[in-house]
């Protein structure tokens, strides 16, 4: 769709950015020590930290990705919500407290507390960097993808803007400013999602008077104008009619002899065309029609009026909805057409798992397809407690009690948010405002269907969402490089001041790398990258975190081996998966050597296995054990 | 590094409910489509339960582990 830049949205966004920068600068005057820069002096209030958890965790992928996925496929987006939230249970009950007791600034601190081994520091720092960069790519690309429709700037300028603002936030006051930015963003995000949900419930459902989904007879199509014979569009499937203004309507023939109107986007040497006419809003131009509608409501009514939260879901379950499928067709002359065809689906079907490509496996009868689903759900469950940028937040509060309280606050805020995304997604699906070509725009467009100012604010919040998460990631990476690598692995003897300076320099470096990645991967479909980051984090970090706590015979060699094997195997698996073949390299997915795309279900247990095996092989002698316990 | 015993029990309980969800979704999809309560499908009810349960167990933990 063509988006008209809203000056209001640009204004609100700039006000947000200036506010955040001013806040960082103001806070920056107080954070000059290493403990201030990396851990906010351990003095953040548990409630602020809890909301900051939400601000850190709820990335653009959560907000825009999940809303979009629910808006286009229904229940499958909610599966991500369920998995992402469940991961916090691992964080709270298993990982958080020992991590807090053992560590100081980084996740490597905690792993290494018992051994003082450079090998562990090195392995943990590498895994932190790999996971952080993996997670940074979708955030940065997301910023670029969004800035064009929302604010009218180019992809690269979006990436640069986010990169520069975030680097300034991190460099001015490290964890202190990062925490407050995340707190504000987390609070705003939940508050505005709540507001949107209330508006959705008050609006209820309404069946529009004209629906593209309704099939028409061939005779009726032919009355609109002369039909076209085009070898690119075989008459067995397609029926094209020339309209007076120059546009061509393409109908897909149905088995019952009738035909259904589609929307066709063609790209090629003559630019992007919609239904045969150049895309645009001016004279002689044409743009895609916004989509998303209820086609029938229970009891045959045409509008429901305001609904309660339960009645909303129940009504949706009994309604029928217009959803769209897309099909890519190669035409002559190097042109590529994407055909969007509407269909009716029951709400009940949309509220079942397995409608989207990511979770299709759950409806398949093949065992490997089901394993793909189970593997992703396992990685989401195990990944949260292994994400470095989440773990470092445990060092910003004073004690174990504050760790617990802030995690419970975080779970409350994040859980509420995920319930709200269900309403946002289903509300967007039936809002009549969606862009059929861009799932990520579902939440902002839903806001636009209510009012323009709301659209401006939601767009600005979507950007702040990127800022909050990226600043946490950059900080985690800078801690890993300076605190783990430079100080403990290389053995540099840095003063407190030098540690802060080095941290800032590294943050600038990571910021630049993030911007380059964001520009380089512009074309990459990013929605699954976050899922991959969870797989790598869980495979590399979780086995050693857990075994260190529960198995006395864990050795340092075991930990190093588990981190490296977990990381290498999950990364390798991902790079050999059908999903990577199709979406990253553009190779035929059938040729991928691994049987399913999500590695977690294999590589997480593999990490545990390697840890146990290597630990048993490198068991210290009885005498060493005795002297160790005696010291 | 001791973790309160109650934390591990609560964790085990949640894990059980979560694994139950994965198992039903993957191996008994028909069950997910039934509407056992308030006209809502089990898929939604179970998902909302998992979200609510996470918060309830976390809050319970604050009370139990002092």
């Amino acid at each position: 769709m063509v988006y008209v830049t809203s000056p209001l949205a640009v204004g609100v966004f700039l006000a947000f950015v200036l506010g955040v920068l001013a806040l960082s600068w103001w806070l920056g005057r107080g954070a000059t020590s290493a403990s201030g820069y990396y851990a906010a002096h351990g003095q953040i209030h548990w409630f602020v930290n809890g909301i900051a958890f939400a601000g850190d965790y709820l990335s653009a992928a959560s907000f825009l990705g999940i809303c979009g996925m629910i808006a286009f496929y229904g229940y499958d987006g909610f599966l991500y919500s369920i998995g992402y939230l469940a991961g916090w249970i691992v964080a709270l009950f298993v990982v958080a407290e020992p991590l807090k007791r053992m560590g100081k600034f980084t996740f490597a601190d905690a792993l290494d507390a018992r051994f003082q081994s450079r090998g562990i520091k090195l392995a943990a720092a590498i895994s932190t960097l790999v996971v952080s960069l993996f997670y940074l790519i979708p955030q940065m690309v997301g910023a670029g993808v969004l800035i064009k429709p929302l604010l009218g700037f180019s992809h690269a300028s979006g990436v640069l803007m986010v990169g520069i603002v975030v680097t300034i936030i991190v460099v001015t006051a490290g964890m202190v400013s990062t925490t407050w930015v995340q707190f504000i963003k987390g609070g705003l995000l939940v508050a505005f999602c709540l507001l949107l949900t209330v508006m959705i419930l008050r609006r209820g459902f309404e069946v529009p008077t004209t629906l593209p989904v309704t099939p028409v007879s061939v005779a009726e199509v032919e009355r609109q104008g002369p039909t076209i014979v085009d070898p690119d569009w075989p008459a067995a499937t397609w029926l094209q009619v020339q309209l007076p203004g120059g546009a061509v309507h393409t109908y897909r023939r149905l088995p019952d002899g009738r035909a259904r109107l589609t929307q066709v986007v063609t790209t090629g040497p003559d630019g992007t065309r919609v239904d045969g006419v150049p895309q645009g809003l001016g004279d002689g131009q044409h743009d895609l029609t916004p989509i998303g509608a209820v086609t029938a409501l229970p009891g045959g009514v045409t509008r429901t009026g305001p609904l309660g939260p339960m009645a909303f879901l129940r009504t949706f379950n009994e309604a029928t909805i217009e959803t769209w499928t897309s099909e890519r067709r190669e035409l002559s002359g190097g042109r590529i057409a994407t055909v969007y065809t509407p269909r009716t689906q029951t709400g009940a079907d949309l509220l079942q798992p397995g409608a989207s490509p990511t979770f299709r496996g759950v409806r398949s009868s093949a065992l490997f397809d089901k394993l793909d689903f189970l593997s992703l759900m396992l990685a989401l469950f195990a990944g949260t407690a292994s994400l470095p940028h989440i773990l470092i937040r445990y060092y910003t509060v004073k004690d174990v009690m504050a760790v617990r309280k802030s995690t419970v606050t975080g779970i409350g805020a994040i859980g509420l948010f995920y319930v709200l995304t269900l309403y946002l997604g289903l509300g967007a699906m039936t809002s009549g405002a969606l862009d059929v070509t861009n799932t990520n725009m579902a939440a902002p467009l839903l806001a636009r269907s209510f009012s323009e100012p709301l659209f401006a604010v939601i767009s600005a919040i979507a950007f702040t969402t990127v800022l909050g998460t990226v600043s946490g990631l950059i900080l985690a990476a800078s801690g890993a490089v300076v605190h783990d690598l430079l100080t403990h692995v290389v053995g540099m003897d840095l003063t407190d001041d030098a540690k802060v300076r080095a941290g800032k320099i590294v943050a600038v470096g990571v910021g630049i790398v993030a911007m380059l990645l964001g520009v380089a991967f512009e074309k990459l479909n990013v929605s699954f990258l976050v899922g991959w980051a969870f797989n790598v984090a869980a495979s590399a970090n979780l086995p050693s975190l857990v075994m260190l706590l529960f198995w006395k015979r864990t050795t340092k060699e075991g930990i190093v081996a588990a981190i490296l094997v977990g990381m290498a195997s999950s990364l390798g698996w991902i790079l050999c998966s059908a999903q990577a073949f199709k979406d990253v390299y553009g190779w035929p997915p059938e040729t991928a050597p691994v049987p399913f795309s999500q590695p977690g279900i294999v590589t997480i247990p593999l990490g545990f296995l390697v840890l146990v095996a290597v630990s048993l092989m490198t068991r210290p002698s009885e005498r060493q054990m005795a002297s160790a316990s005696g010291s | 590094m001791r973790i309160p015993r109650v934390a591990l029990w609560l964790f085990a309980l949640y894990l059980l409910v979560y694994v139950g969800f994965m198992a039903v979704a993957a191996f008994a999809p028909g069950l997910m489509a039934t509407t056992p309560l308030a006209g809502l499908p089990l898929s939604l009810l179970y998902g909302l339960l998992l979200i609510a349960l996470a918060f309830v167990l976390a809050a319970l933990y604050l009370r139990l582990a002092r």
Side-chain angles (χ1 to χ4, degrees), chain A residues 129-195:
Chain A
L129 282 176
V130 167
V131 172
S132 297
L133 284 177
F134 235 89
Y135 214 101
L136 268 172
I137 298 172
Q139 306 300 332
M140 297 305 284
V141 176
V145 168
L146 284 172
I147 202 150
K148 201 168 163 47
L150 293 179
L151 304 172
F153 306 134
S154 72
H155 177 92
S157 67
V159 171
L160 288 181
M161 211 144 90
V162 166
I164 290 169
V165 173
V166 165
T167 308
I168 294 175
I169 294 171
V170 176
V171 167
T172 45
M175 195 46 144
V176 180
S177 47
T178 300
T179 300
W180 284 99
V181 168
Q182 289 173 345
F183 171 75
I184 294 170
K185 166 212 147 175
L188 281 175
L189 188 59
V190 174
F192 273 89
C193 287
L194 197 59
L195 176 71

Side-chain angles (χ1 to χ4, degrees), chain A residues 258-270:
Chain A
R258 292 183 299 169
R260 187 175 269 166
L261 182 61
T262 65
Q263 303 196 57
V264 180
V265 179
T266 329
T267 54
D270 53 351

